Amino acid sequence: RVAKMATSMLGGDDDQIVEKGQLIGQPKKHDQQQAAHLDKVTDYVEEQEISGDIGKAVSQIGGQLTKEKEEKAKRDKELAKVVIRKEDVELIVRELEISKSTAERSLREHMGDIVLALHNLTN
């Protein structure tokens, strides 16, 4: 009865009956528990969506890296077939002060043409 009087004095509806120890406008304990459960469910769903997206991204990156490694291995195999002169490698190493492997790679990429290899390395 006191609750109804307080509610009507404050201009509220008779439907807003205040429970014992509950202030007007505060959510009930049951409502707070339901909200907490709803948050847990939505958090779980969001985590599942995110982990699924991450899994897809990781597999795509892994596939892309594998493909790139295969292409690089194929290219290296093709370059290894190119014949280069030892004197050309030594000249490039001595004049440009670069590693032997870099000089060999450049010569192989330019099919043993020292002029093109030097031009590429200096630009």
Side-chain angles (χ1 to χ4, degrees):
R1 203 189 308 172
V2 174
K4 282 188 176 184
M5 284 178 47
T7 304
S8 61
M9 287 181 167
L10 293 172
D13 297 336
D14 287 342
D15 295 338
Q16 292 181 339
I17 298 174
V18 180
E19 294 180 19
K20 186 177 181 181
Q22 181 81 23
L23 296 176
I24 298 173
Q26 280 189 336
K28 295 181 181 178
K29 185 176 182 181
H30 179 70
D31 293 340
Q32 290 174 342
Q33 288 175 343
Q34 286 182 341
H37 290 303
L38 182 61
D39 284 343
K40 287 181 184 177
V41 169
T42 55
D43 289 347
Y44 175 77
V45 170
E46 288 172 355
E47 287 175 11
Q48 294 302 316
E49 289 173 353
I50 290 171
S51 66
D53 292 343
I54 290 173
K56 289 177 187 175
V58 168
S59 66
Q60 285 177 345
I61 291 171
Q64 185 178 1
L65 289 175
T66 302
K67 185 178 177 182
E68 288 174 2
K69 285 181 183 178
E70 289 172 356
E71 288 174 1
K72 186 179 184 308
K74 183 179 177 183
R75 175 79 172 141
D76 288 344
K77 193 173 183 178
E78 290 173 7
L79 289 177
K81 294 177 184 177
V82 175
V83 178
I84 55 174
R85 293 179 32 192
K86 185 177 179 180
E87 298 83 25
D88 292 344
V89 174
E90 291 171 357
L91 174 70
I92 292 174
V93 169
R94 186 176 57 248
E95 294 299 320
L96 299 181
E97 298 178 355
I98 60 172
S99 69
K100 182 177 177 182
S101 62
T102 303
E104 287 177 354
R105 175 89 180 182
S106 181
L107 276 168
R108 291 185 191 283
E109 288 174 349
H110 295 93
M111 308 308 272
D113 187 337
I114 190 166
V115 175
L116 289 175
L118 285 167
H119 185 272
N120 184 52
L121 288 168
T122 55
N123 289 334

